[in-house]
Amino acid sequence: MTTLSRLAHFEFSRFSSSLPGLTSRGIKIAISYLALIIAGGIYFFRENNSPEIVFAFGVTLSWGILMSLSMSHIMTFWAQPQREWWLSLPHSRSLLVSAKALGLMRVGLRVVILIQLACLCYYGVAAASGRMNPLPAGQLIAIVGANLVISLSFIPVAVLLGLSICTMYNGWARWGLIPYLIIMQSPYGLFGILMEMKSSEFRAISPDYLLLYSLGIVVIGWPIAYVLMRLISGIGMKNMADVRLRIKSTASSRSTGKNKDDLIRSANKLSGFAILYSLERERFRYYGSIKSIRMVKYAILSLIALGGFLSSAYSTALLEMMQILFMLPVLGASVYMMNKGNIERKNLQWWLSFPLPRSHLVLAQIAGLWMTVVRIIGALSAAYGFGIAMGIVTGRMGMQHLMEHIEWFAYTLVLYISMLTIALGMLQSSYYFMKSTLLTYIHLPLYMLVGFQTVIINEFFFPKNFVTPAQVPYWDYVGILLAIGLPIAALSTWIGAKYMQVLLNIQSKSTNQR
């Protein structure tokens, strides 16, 4: 193996444990991801029966995931334990950046294949259930092949676009963040365009047009990606080294005047659980304090405020947008908890070494994530409320119209926070089901249940023909959900605390096999 291939493999290994593959573990991960994507498809395409839109939606989703993954990876570079070693390697900057880009492209290859496979599975389910008209085999192969080609062609462009944010940390380059964030949001804007397309406009996403787009990406996009890689090698690498030095300087200045006795006395003021909870919350606070992430956060809140203003004149749109705002953080937290063992496997042994009951460890993890999601929901609600307030001020919406929605707003908030609490608790039982391969397969229905929570909410907790907010919310259903779900979540948490160490046994077996 060459130096470039070894470094690229190292970069890929950062993500490999959370990616689908041909191993038994990779197959389980693939099944869980497929269940989540298909569940999302059932929700988003409940009123759309076009296979072309489904596969085009998968292309756009792949684009958004790859750019977001690359951007978040480079933005948190200074928090990675290997950063000092990586920056000090005796290789050229272009080689290091090429290795990082190739590792992420390899991740992108699996993401693209998984999403297109999920679209194909969803098409099969929808066609078998009568929700979608089946296509001739030749036409289906052409659609799948063309969408796969365009998905593969933009992998280098999406990865380098995501990584290029590191060139905008200093000086006048920061002004480039504004158009950059617009480009990063473009895949999500395409979702709405695709959902509103009429059958007469499907020619734009037909196989021959998609192949033409792919050729354009190769001819125009790949040279742009090469230029971006050169900029990252020069400006980006320097910025990452400067960030490392600034963090060290800030850390040392903050520690001035604090001796060991002061730290011990401040720690003694907290109970064991409070210390664990503070550690868990501090990790999320750290990522939220990064300047680039703050800028992205403010941009998203501004867009949500604009959405609240635009939807203030429409009753149905007003409530549907609020459902989406609450659904995304809850679903994201559920996916994170499903893969928490893989994401934080390197810290698990240190976490388990605390001289505290395992139940405290598990509850601290749940509480830290729960509070983070609730704070995110609060920020999204505040931005949305500000947009609605501007709609009232400008006359798009009256106060009486707002008062009619208040109970539904409160109902939606309570419902999604209840689902979040129950889902995070139930997912702790996964530690027990890791004891054997058979138990892992038995546990998959729970992952599918959590992944389908948006479908369950829309099916049982909201009227099917929602016409006016004068309809009464199903508060009794929420009460039944809590009465059944909270005891199950508590039992799952207790089971997870008891069998948490099983993940260490799996890691040791994996290490021995290597």
Side-chain angles (χ1 to χ4, degrees), residues 32-92:
S32 64
Y33 285 157
L34 285 173
L36 287 173
I37 296 173
I38 293 172
I42 292 174
Y43 173 76
F44 284 108
F45 299 110
R46 61 190 184 277
E47 297 179 358
N48 194 306
N49 60 354
S50 169
E52 293 89 346
I53 297 297
V54 172
F55 288 101
F57 198 91
V59 172
T60 309
L61 180 62
S62 302
W63 179 12
I65 289 176
L66 290 183
M67 288 202 301
S68 301
L69 177 65
S70 302
M71 183 181 70
S72 60
H73 173 70
I74 204 67
M75 286 171 64
T76 58
F77 172 79
W78 50 82
Q80 297 169 7
Q82 300 93 356
R83 66 185 184 278
E84 303 289 342
W85 169 80
W86 193 82
L87 286 170
S88 63
L89 286 173
H91 301 295
S92 65

Side-chain angles (χ1 to χ4, degrees), residues 33-49 54 57 61 118-119 121-127 129 131-132 195 327 331 448-449 451-460:
Y33 285 157
L34 285 173
L36 287 173
I37 296 173
I38 293 172
I42 292 174
Y43 173 76
F44 284 108
F45 299 110
R46 61 190 184 277
E47 297 179 358
N48 194 306
N49 60 354
V54 172
F57 198 91
L61 180 62
C119 291
C121 291
Y122 171 76
Y123 163 78
V125 172
S129 61
R131 293 164 56 94
M132 189 174 290
M195 297 302 290
M327 174 195 70
L331 189 60
M448 296 182 67
L449 179 65
F452 278 87
Q453 59 184 297
T454 56
V455 179
I456 295 171
I457 287 174
N458 283 283
E459 184 70 24
F460 297 104

Side-chain angles (χ1 to χ4, degrees), residues 337-472:
M337 189 59 77
M338 286 179 183
N339 297 279
K340 187 176 178 64
N342 294 325
I343 296 172
E344 301 179 3
R345 65 192 187 280
K346 295 180 180 178
N347 299 325
L348 183 61
Q349 191 168 3
W350 169 79
W351 187 256
L352 292 174
S353 66
F354 279 88
L356 294 169
R358 296 284 172 83
S359 58
H360 287 191
L361 300 176
V362 174
L363 287 173
Q365 291 180 341
I366 294 175
L369 182 57
W370 186 91
M371 182 55 68
T372 300
V373 175
V374 169
R375 287 173 64 88
I376 291 173
I377 289 176
L380 297 177
S381 301
Y384 193 54
F386 178 79
I388 293 174
M390 291 298 99
I392 295 174
V393 170
T394 56
R396 291 176 59 88
M397 180 181 184
M399 282 299 298
Q400 181 181 359
H401 190 50
L402 174 64
M403 296 307 296
E404 292 176 350
H405 290 77
I406 289 296
E407 186 177 6
W408 277 103
F409 288 164
Y411 171 77
T412 306
L413 177 63
V414 172
L415 174 60
Y416 275 95
I417 290 180
S418 300
M419 290 295 291
L420 170 68
T421 307
I422 294 171
L424 294 184
M426 290 176 62
L427 287 171
Q428 303 308 310
S429 62
S430 61
Y431 294 114
Y432 172 77
F433 289 94
M434 291 178 184
K435 291 177 63 178
S436 69
T437 303
L438 178 61
L439 289 176
T440 302
Y441 285 113
I442 295 174
H443 192 238
L444 285 176
L446 174 60
Y447 276 23
M448 296 182 67
L449 179 65
V450 173
F452 278 87
Q453 59 184 297
T454 56
V455 179
I456 295 171
I457 287 174
N458 283 283
E459 184 70 24
F460 297 104
F461 293 93
F462 284 93
K464 293 184 178 180
N465 298 316
F466 192 86
V467 179
T468 169
Q471 294 173 280
V472 179

Side-chain angles (χ1 to χ4, degrees), residues 66 68 109 215 275 295 304 306 355 376 438 472 490 492 495 504:
L66 290 183
S68 301
L109 177 63
L215 179 62
I275 293 174
M295 297 184 72
I304 290 172
L306 177 62
I376 291 173
L438 178 61
V472 179
S492 300
I495 293 173
L504 283 179

Side-chain angles (χ1 to χ4, degrees), residues 471-492:
Q471 294 173 280
V472 179
Y474 302 158
W475 288 106
D476 51 342
Y477 285 16
V478 176
I480 295 172
L481 172 68
L482 292 172
I484 297 175
L486 287 179
I488 296 175
L491 177 62
S492 300

